[in-house]
């Protein structure tokens, strides 16, 4: 990869200082930050010639929601991440030909992002059962979570407080990924998922919130 994942508090703080200065000056380093459909702001900190990226993910506090559980999904690339602050864990799942008693049947879609990930085409690909097989707990600045492009997982994020992660994604290995909807969820309107763009001022405020987490 063109970069390594920053694991030390000092290095992460220096990255946040640099990004804050970039956005204040109106010169973000790579791409436009946006609010992902899974509830977090995605900020690209660096892009490299081999296709790897270093990104920050930030979930603002939303106490009424209490907890956000992402749709099960895999990725087009492997990645590793560290938890900078807040509370989050992962549930890893595997497709199964038949659901266990009482388990939901999920609708599987292919997911293909464009425009730096802010827009994605979503296409139905039948139904499938998913069975959880591993839960990965996390603690701030304590080890890293690593996963492959084909691992299906859900991120479970505590929204009573803000949460942030730093992610190093590898070069892309697939054109599309998989995302799974529950039977009672509405289908993506027009086959699209849209992220919400943020202003530079909003991004600066969120970067400052992440810096506060580090202390």
């Amino acid at each position: 990869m063109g970069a390594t994942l920053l694991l030390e508090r000092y290095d992460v703080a220096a990255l946040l200082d640099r990004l804050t200065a970039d956005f204040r000056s109106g010169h973000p380093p790579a791409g436009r930050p946006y609010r992902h459909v899974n509830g977090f702001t995605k900020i690209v900190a660096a892009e490299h010639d081999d296709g790897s990226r270093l990104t920050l993910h930030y979930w603002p506090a939303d106490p009424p929601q209490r907890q956000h559980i992402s749709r099960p999904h895999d990725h087009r690339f492997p990645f590793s991440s560290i938890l900078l602050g807040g509370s989050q864990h992962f549930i890893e799942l595997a497709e199964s030909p038949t659901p266990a008693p009482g388990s939901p049947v999920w609708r599987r879609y292919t997911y293909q992002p464009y425009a730096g990930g802010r827009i994605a085409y979503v296409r139905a690909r039948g139904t499938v059962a998913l069975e959880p097989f591993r839960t990965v707990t996390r603690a701030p600045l304590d080890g890293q979570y690593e996963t492959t492009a084909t691992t299906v997982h859900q991120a479970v994020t505590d929204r009573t407080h803000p949460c942030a992660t730093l992610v190093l994604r590898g070069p892309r290995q697939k054109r599309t990924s998989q995302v799974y909807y529950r039977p009672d969820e509405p289908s993506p309107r027009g086959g699209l998922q849209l992220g919400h763009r943020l202003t530079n001022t909003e991004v600066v405020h969120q970067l400052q919130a992440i810096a506060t987490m580090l202390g």
Side-chain angles (χ1 to χ4, degrees):
M1 291 186 191
T4 57
L5 187 60
L6 305 178
L7 300 176
E8 300 297 330
R9 186 184 304 270
Y10 175 85
D11 293 327
V12 178
L15 173 67
L16 292 170
D17 287 345
R18 176 176 63 79
L19 287 173
T20 299
D22 288 342
F23 280 98
R24 278 181 170 155
S25 67
H27 296 94
R32 295 291 308 173
Y34 65 95
R35 178 67 55 79
H36 193 278
V37 294
N38 274 332
F40 60 87
T41 296
K42 187 173 186 177
I43 304 169
V44 180
E47 286 188 308
H48 302 279
D49 292 340
D50 67 349
S52 61
R53 277 184 173 182
L54 188 65
T55 63
L56 280 162
H57 296 176
Y58 175 73
W59 290 258
D62 186 3
Q65 186 175 350
R66 297 183 61 84
Q67 188 181 72
H68 181 267
I69 303 176
S70 71
R71 295 186 183 100
H73 61 281
D74 65 9
H75 293 268
R76 297 177 300 151
F77 40 76
F79 75 85
S80 57
S81 76
I82 59 172
L83 181 66
L84 300 180
S87 178
Q88 184 184 73
H89 66 272
F90 287 105
I91 300 170
E92 296 181 343
L93 309 101
E95 291 191 1
S96 172
T98 56
S103 297
V105 175
W106 299 83
R107 290 179 295 147
R108 180 173 54 193
Y109 291 79
T110 57
Y111 178 93
Q112 186 167 6
Y114 293 89
R118 189 172 59 85
I119 300 172
Y121 292 115
V122 185
R123 298 290 181 266
R125 292 291 186 267
T127 60
V128 67
L130 291 174
E131 298 297 333
F133 66 88
R134 188 166 81 118
T135 298
V136 183
T137 59
R138 314 185 76 184
L141 295 173
D142 181 16
Q144 56 185 303
Y145 173 72
E146 298 183 352
T147 188
T148 69
T150 56
T151 300
V152 177
H153 68 190
Q154 291 176 287
V156 182
T157 307
D158 180 0
R159 296 300 297 274
T160 58
H161 301 282
C163 180
T165 62
L166 183 64
V167 178
L168 178 63
R169 51 154 278 189
R172 187 183 307 158
Q173 296 179 348
K174 304 182 296 181
R175 291 183 64 250
T176 63
S177 58
Q178 312 293 324
V179 61
Y180 301 81
Y181 282 61
R182 289 183 178 274
D184 56 353
E185 282 190 282
S187 299
R189 182 176 298 177
L192 294 175
Q193 284 187 348
L194 304 177
H196 173 69
R197 292 182 66 169
L198 284 81
T199 67
N200 286 353
T201 299
E202 289 175 302
V203 175
V204 166
H205 288 161
Q206 295 190 3
L207 290 170
Q208 291 173 330
I210 299 172
T212 299
M213 291 183 191
L214 294 178

